[in-house]
Amino acid sequence: VQGKVTAGSLDVHPTEKALVVHYEVEASILGEGGGHVLGERKEGQKIIRVKSLSPSTDVGALARKVVEECKLIPSSRLPQVEQLLYYLQNRKSSPVEGKMEKKEKRTAKPRELTPFEGMELNEEASITRVDEYIELLYEGIPEKIRGSALILQLARNPDNLEELLHNEAALGALARVLREDWKQSVELATIIIYIFFCFSSFAQFHGVVSHYKIGALCMSVVEHELKRHDVWREELRKKNKSAPENGSLRRDQDKAVRKYHGLLSKQEQLLRVSLYLLLNLAEDTRTELKMRNKNIVGLLVKVLERDDEELLVLVVSFLKKLSIFLENKNDMAEVDTVERLARLVPCDHEDLLNLTLRLLLNLSFDSGLRAKMVEVGLLPKLTALLGNSNNRQVAMRILYHISIDDRFKGMFVYTDCIPQLMQMLYEHGEEETEAELISICINLAANKRNAQLMCEGNGLKMLMKRALKMKDCLLMKMIRNISQHDGPTKSVFIDYVGDLAAEIRAEEEEEWVLECLGTLANLTIPDLDWELVLKEYNLVPYLKDRLKPGSAEDDLILEVVIMIGTVSMDDACAAMLAKSGIIPALIELLNAQQEDDEFVCQIVYVFYQMVFHQATRDVIIKDTQAPAYLIDLMHDKNAEIRKVCDNTLDIIAEYDEEWGRKIQSEKFRFHNNQWLEMVESRQADESEPYLYDNDNDNDRTDLFYSAEGALQRTFYLSEL
């Protein structure tokens, strides 16, 4: 006989401070000539316990010792052993350990479920006596409980699972007893499901759990127990209603309450182990789909009514895992998921609070569920968590999603959110601002009242100082949003016009210039001397150069157009821009961007501003073809473009007689186009019979107009 041992994978033990070494033994029987006659392969695993591992342990030294003493681990795997030991050293003991990350394939056992409560088990189970324990499963309920409890003792040690797996009689008997007797004894059902839970903790054993249809049975158990709980609560409610303040009925009521809590405790043990098993099996998406078809979401949301924190941790973990799929998220939207989660925010259980927030974050991608979160009062609760360092980031992400909706931006005013956000920005100093923090600030700054709160005190001064020093584009985007609001907020920016104008240079990054230019373009302040600003910072050449198609990104060119529109409100500025040759550059840009409604609208708005001033009006009317372009755009499909064009052409028509006739003619032609087409087609068709009888209408000459008369009549009506 010849044997060969091959080392396999290395992993950590799911529940203990230990490493698991997988290996394969290949045994061969050799013939007389040394040839191979018969061979067999068998897989095994070795548990290396490191109970001495503590936060102060030298992981490197311990790893070297493990490799030296275990011949199954080659020295080349020393770095991997050290990494696994480091993981064990930092692993926190959690009832849902191993389920928090989607990639994890094992699940730690739940906190002790005490399935032996009220039972005397003085003997220690032995793997060699499994057959004796199986015989007990064919007796009465007490014997079945004892036999299954002894097998559970063995199953809780992962070293025994492989041997139990090959004992089909044991697993078959346990599955049969569970299927037939689970309604008769909560203790019995809890113990047997716990046994199969131990198998479900390892992905390689999921097949045997599925083979005996334990998952489907657990779904039935959970559904049945939830219905039983509804019955218990209804009975208790009726007794509470009928019981007087004192007397024998009151004592009976107290006894009923104690009984209810006793039943509830045992039931929650059963629910926990059943749901843990289902959570393990849900690692397979096909199995998870089967659970969804049996309403797993509805059952889990129903359990959210409970008060047991460990059970709630499990349920929220399960829902969080399910929520990454659209179909499950839609199922959650149809039941009261958000309402039941809202009562858990905040709570004293740190793990439960964190999991609840992460589930809410997944759900907050849905606009309808975001609205529900606001409706049930989560906005002030989430704001209060911004001061909690452990949950601040996830709370801020949820708030960011809520801030996306314009309908909810104004509601932040009634919370303490904005002062806290401003304080966080201030505390960052010269460090890079967190993406979540600046993102929510940008969104909220788009609301006028929020912007006013941000500017209170030295708010705007702090923002401008930090943005200009760090050249922080996102912070400047927030400032730009603040600057768009009319009212007292806009006048506060007068002190920073020079600082912003100084940043508009060709050598600066386009993204940075875009935000600074956009902020300046928003400052439609009557008292601001734009001519002085343009001259002092030599902005006119920069603006003209950037109007050339392709000279910069379209976003920056558009901001240049908007900036020109803003400064053109000033008479002196408009004249200066006209002399610089900006108007032909705008027309050239209009030709290049005629398919972009935003560009067209903003360029037409510049013309609208310029025709108010004598100097620029004469340039536009006499030296350019801008009026002709405006006439062409007068009937554009975009309503805003049509509106600005009409207003601009009305001013041009008032000051220039020749263009006035052209504009009037074009308006007439458009309004009467269909009628004219009909008249022209009739005149062209000489063979068309008369529409009226000549004998009766010879004297009704007023019914027959010449083409000119018809035109005059129609024009008169159209003017009305």
Side-chain angles (χ1 to χ4, degrees):
V1 178
Q2 180 178 326
K4 180 183 177 183
V5 179
T6 305
S9 61
L10 272 174
D11 208 341
V12 295
H13 195 282
T15 60
E16 300 180 22
K17 286 186 178 180
L19 299 177
V20 181
V21 185
H22 299 274
Y23 61 89
E24 184 180 82
V25 178
E26 182 179 1
S28 301
I29 300 177
L30 303 179
E32 294 181 359
H36 179 81
V37 176
L38 183 64
E40 182 180 359
R41 292 175 182 266
K42 186 175 182 181
E43 294 181 353
Q45 64 180 27
K46 180 178 178 60
I47 309 296
I48 304 174
R49 290 180 172 81
V50 285
K51 295 182 179 179
S52 61
L53 184 64
S54 66
S56 60
T57 301
D58 184 343
V59 173
L62 181 58
R64 287 191 293 273
K65 184 178 179 182
V66 169
V67 173
E68 289 172 5
E69 295 186 1
C70 183
K71 303 302 181 184
L72 291 172
I73 306 176
S75 58
S76 60
R77 289 197 173 185
L78 178 61
Q80 185 182 1
V81 173
E82 187 172 343
Q83 184 181 10
L84 294 175
L85 289 173
Y86 179 78
Y87 170 78
L88 284 173
Q89 188 181 45
N90 293 276
R91 182 171 68 177
K92 293 181 179 180
S93 177
S94 168
V96 289
E97 184 178 354
K99 291 308 297 181
M100 300 300 294
E101 297 295 334
K102 188 174 184 294
K103 293 183 179 179
E104 185 68 51
K105 292 190 176 180
R106 289 197 178 94
T107 305
K109 70 174 183 179
R111 185 176 61 83
E112 179 59 53
L113 299 179
T114 60
F116 312 120
E117 186 176 350
M119 295 166 41
E120 296 277 342
L121 274 180
N122 298 322
E123 60 181 304
E124 185 173 346
S126 170
I127 195 69
T128 61
R129 300 178 60 191
V130 173
D131 291 340
E132 297 178 25
Y133 309 150
I134 296 174
E135 292 179 4
L136 294 173
L137 299 178
Y138 293 91
E139 304 293 335
I141 294 296
E143 290 78 13
K144 290 177 180 178
I145 291 176
R146 181 170 173 273
S148 58
L150 289 165
I151 296 174
L152 176 57
Q153 280 190 33
L154 299 173
R156 292 177 67 192
N157 183 349
D159 294 343
N160 296 325
L161 290 178
E162 191 79 38
E163 191 162 343
L164 287 173
L165 178 68
H166 293 104
N167 194 327
E168 295 183 7
L171 296 181
L174 288 167
R176 177 186 56 79
V177 171
L178 179 62
R179 193 161 43 249
E180 295 175 356
D181 298 330
W182 66 267
K183 289 184 180 180
Q184 299 184 42
S185 171
V186 172
E187 291 86 353
L188 178 62
T190 302
I191 294 170
I192 297 178
I193 293 175
Y194 202 145
I195 294 170
F196 284 102
F197 163 78
C198 294
F199 283 97
S200 73
S201 298
F202 298 88
Q204 61 265 38
F205 297 144
H206 284 186
V208 69
V209 181
S210 301
H211 173 73
Y212 290 106
K213 303 188 184 305
I214 303 301
L217 196 50
C218 283
M219 290 283 293
S220 300
V221 168
V222 172
E223 185 176 9
H224 176 77
E225 292 300 325
L226 292 178
K227 290 179 180 178
R228 285 181 67 190
H229 182 251
D230 289 339
V231 173
W232 293 345
R233 284 198 306 181
E234 181 61 23
E235 290 176 352
L236 197 61
R237 186 190 65 80
K238 290 179 180 178
K239 288 186 178 181
N240 279 333
K241 189 175 180 180
S242 61
E245 292 298 323
N246 49 50
S248 59
L249 287 177
R250 183 76 257 176
R251 287 192 295 273
D252 290 343
Q253 171 62 17
D254 293 340
K255 183 179 179 181
V257 170
R258 289 194 297 271
K259 180 182 178 182
Y260 166 75
H261 286 297
L263 292 171
L264 190 64
S265 177
K266 291 183 178 181
Q267 186 187 65
E268 288 180 344
Q269 288 181 358
L270 177 57
L271 289 175
R272 284 180 60 208
V273 73
S274 299
L275 292 174
Y276 262 114
L277 185 145
L278 291 171
L279 179 57
N280 288 347
L281 296 182
E283 290 176 356
D284 184 339
T285 54
R286 292 170 299 180
T287 304
E288 183 180 305
L289 179 59
K290 293 178 182 178
M291 294 181 191
R292 178 186 176 257
N293 293 336
K294 293 188 177 182
N295 192 32
I296 185 64
V297 170
L299 297 178
L300 290 170
V301 173
K302 181 72 173 174
V303 181
L304 286 176
E305 299 174 352
R306 305 298 182 100
D307 296 321
D308 183 273
E309 291 179 336
E310 297 300 329
L311 178 60
L312 289 172
V313 165
L314 165 63
V315 171
V316 176
S317 298
F318 206 154
L319 286 170
K320 176 178 169 293
K321 180 188 183 304
L322 295 172
S323 67
I324 66 175
F325 291 101
L326 177 65
E327 296 82 1
N328 295 329
K329 183 269 298 180
N330 291 340
D331 289 345
M332 293 178 201
E334 294 178 2
V335 290
D336 300 331
T337 308
V338 172
E339 292 89 332
R340 291 178 180 173
L341 290 172
R343 75 180 185 92
L344 303 178
V345 180
C347 65
D348 295 331
H349 195 291
E350 195 65 27
D351 288 341
L352 178 57
L353 176 58
N354 188 263
L355 282 167
T356 302
L357 291 175
R358 292 186 180 280
L359 172 56
L360 287 170
L361 175 61
N362 284 0
L363 298 180
S364 68
F365 285 89
D366 183 283
S367 60
L369 290 172
R370 285 199 299 269
K372 183 64 69 174
M373 291 176 194
V374 175
E375 181 184 325
V376 299
L378 271 173
L379 189 56
K381 291 183 176 183
L382 292 167
T383 298
L385 290 173
L386 292 177
N388 183 326
S389 59
N390 293 331
N391 298 297
R392 180 174 66 184
Q393 190 177 48
V394 65
M396 194 177 296
R397 288 177 179 177
I398 302 171
L399 289 171
Y400 165 72
H401 285 165
I402 294 174
S403 73
I404 292 173
D405 289 304
D406 289 337
R407 51 186 170 159
F408 302 137
K409 285 184 174 72
M411 301 185 71
F412 283 80
V413 175
Y414 306 103
T415 71
D416 193 36
C417 186
I418 292 174
Q420 290 192 68
L421 295 175
M422 294 297 289
Q423 181 64 28
M424 290 178 202
L425 285 174
Y426 179 78
E427 290 173 352
H428 266 77
E430 296 187 4
E431 298 175 6
E432 186 177 355
T433 310
E434 297 173 41
E436 294 85 0
L437 173 58
I438 191 61
S439 298
I440 188 174
C441 288
I442 291 170
N443 286 350
L444 294 180
N447 176 270
K448 183 176 182 178
R449 183 65 184 120
N450 290 338
Q452 291 172 348
L453 287 177
M454 291 171 177
C455 292
E456 285 185 354
N458 292 322
L460 182 60
K461 182 178 180 181
M462 181 271 290
L463 292 173
M464 287 296 304
K465 182 179 179 181
R466 176 177 167 79
L468 291 170
K469 183 176 182 179
M470 306 290 294
K471 293 196 182 296
D472 189 327
C473 294
L474 291 177
L475 198 56
M476 187 55 74
K477 188 182 291 288
M478 174 187 174
I479 295 170
R480 178 181 170 185
N481 279 357
I482 294 174
S483 69
Q484 69 181 319
H485 304 292
D486 294 326
T489 305
K490 207 162 262 193
S491 60
V492 183
F493 280 85
I494 290 182
D495 295 337
Y496 306 104
V497 170
D499 295 322
L500 292 167
E503 297 297 322
I504 301 173
R505 300 189 297 270
E507 60 269 19
E508 293 287 351
E509 291 288 336
E510 278 195 7
E511 187 180 0
W512 170 249
V513 174
L514 172 67
E515 301 304 335
C516 294
L517 192 62
T519 305
L520 273 179
N522 285 334
L523 302 183
T524 51
I525 305 172
D527 299 332
L528 187 56
D529 189 347
W530 279 115
E531 183 184 16
L532 179 62
V533 174
L534 294 181
K535 286 181 178 179
E536 183 174 348
Y537 295 97
N538 196 29
L539 292 182
V540 175
Y542 177 88
L543 297 176
K544 184 179 178 182
D545 289 344
R546 286 294 177 271
L547 286 178
K548 297 175 183 177
S551 62
E553 294 291 333
D554 282 355
D555 287 346
L556 180 58
I557 298 175
L558 181 60
E559 286 305 323
V560 168
V561 175
I562 296 172
M563 179 70 179
I564 293 171
T566 298
V567 301
S568 294
M569 290 187 294
D570 181 270
D571 186 62
C573 275
M576 183 168 61
L577 292 173
K579 291 176 183 177
S580 70
I582 272 183
I583 296 175
L586 286 170
I587 293 175
E588 183 183 353
L589 181 63
L590 181 62
N591 277 327
Q593 299 285 356
Q594 57 185 307
E595 299 299 325
D596 190 314
D597 284 0
E598 184 65 21
F599 263 102
V600 172
C601 191
Q602 294 297 341
I603 293 172
V604 172
Y605 178 74
V606 173
F607 293 152
Y608 172 73
Q609 290 291 351
M610 287 186 168
V611 295
F612 275 106
H613 313 295
Q614 179 66 42
T616 49
R617 183 168 56 243
D618 290 343
V619 173
I620 288 175
I621 294 174
K622 297 176 181 178
D623 299 340
T624 74
Q625 288 299 311
Y629 281 98
L630 293 173
I631 289 174
D632 287 341
L633 292 168
M634 192 165 54
H635 314 306
D636 193 270
K637 61 183 180 181
N638 186 296
E640 286 299 319
I641 293 176
R642 292 199 305 270
K643 181 180 178 181
V644 181
C645 275
D646 284 344
N647 293 336
T648 308
L649 289 171
D650 286 345
I651 297 172
I652 292 173
E654 184 179 345
Y655 286 95
D656 189 278
E657 184 177 343
E658 183 179 351
W659 276 112
R661 286 195 299 270
K662 292 179 181 179
I663 293 167
Q664 188 179 47
S665 175
E666 172 60 25
K667 286 185 176 181
F668 162 75
R669 188 195 66 77
F670 178 74
H671 286 304
N672 300 279
N673 187 52
Q674 290 184 339
W675 194 91
L676 287 174
E677 287 179 357
M678 181 185 71
V679 171
E680 290 170 358
S681 66
R682 286 183 177 176
Q683 288 177 342
D685 189 1
E686 298 179 5
S687 62
E688 183 179 358
Y690 290 108
L691 296 175
Y692 302 96
D693 188 295
N694 287 335
D695 294 339
N696 296 330
D697 294 314
N698 281 336
D699 297 330
R700 297 290 305 278
T701 56
D702 58 310
L703 292 177
F704 299 94
Y705 293 96
S706 64
E708 292 78 12
L711 294 178
Q712 292 169 3
R713 175 67 60 88
T714 307
F715 179 73
Y716 174 74
L717 292 175
S718 68
E719 288 297 300
L720 292 177

